[in-house]
């Protein structure tokens, strides 16, 4: 399933849009699980100009990989 959000906005607003769309998928279509997700963003400077994300060494970063949400030690050890 593809979720498309149009228009320039702050990351706070984008996060809220994503949250609302996922709630709708959950409520309207009874989806409770997903195997993987890919989110593409187009970073801008707030004036519509595209910008590149760079690490501390100045190298361009195009992909971030997540293994899922933070897992507390209690969850990891079954406490």
């Amino acid at each position: 399933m593809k979720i498309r959000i149009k228009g320039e906005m702050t990351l706070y607003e984008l996060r809220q849009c994503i949250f609302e769309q996922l709630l709708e998928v959950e409520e309207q279509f009874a989806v409770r699980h997903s195997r993987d997700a890919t989110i593409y963003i187009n970073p801008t400077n707030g004036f519509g100009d595209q910008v590149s994300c760079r690490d501390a060494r100045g190298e361009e970063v195009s992909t971030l990989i997540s293994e899922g949400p933070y897992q507390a030690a209690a969850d990891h050890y079954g406490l």
Side-chain angles (χ1 to χ4, degrees):
M1 173 176 280
K2 183 189 300 186
I3 297 173
R4 192 158 186 202
I5 301 168
K6 295 183 177 186
E8 185 175 20
M9 62 195 74
T10 66
L11 286 183
Y12 173 83
E13 293 167 329
L14 178 59
R15 185 170 48 243
Q16 185 63 34
C17 287
I18 292 169
F19 177 76
E20 290 170 3
Q21 291 299 305
L22 290 176
L23 277 178
E24 185 174 335
V25 168
E26 189 174 25
E27 292 173 0
Q28 186 172 346
F29 302 107
V31 173
R32 299 292 183 256
H33 299 86
S34 174
R35 183 180 354 217
D36 292 317
T38 301
I39 299 173
Y40 294 92
I41 63 170
N42 300 303
T44 66
N45 62 1
F47 298 105
D49 302 319
Q50 187 172 347
V51 297
S52 298
C53 297
R54 299 191 178 274
D55 63 14
R57 296 176 296 199
E59 296 178 8
E60 190 170 335
V61 177
S62 62
T63 304
L64 297 176
I65 298 182
S66 173
E67 298 294 332
Y70 172 78
Q71 191 175 44
D75 293 333
H76 181 72
Y77 293 107
L79 302 174

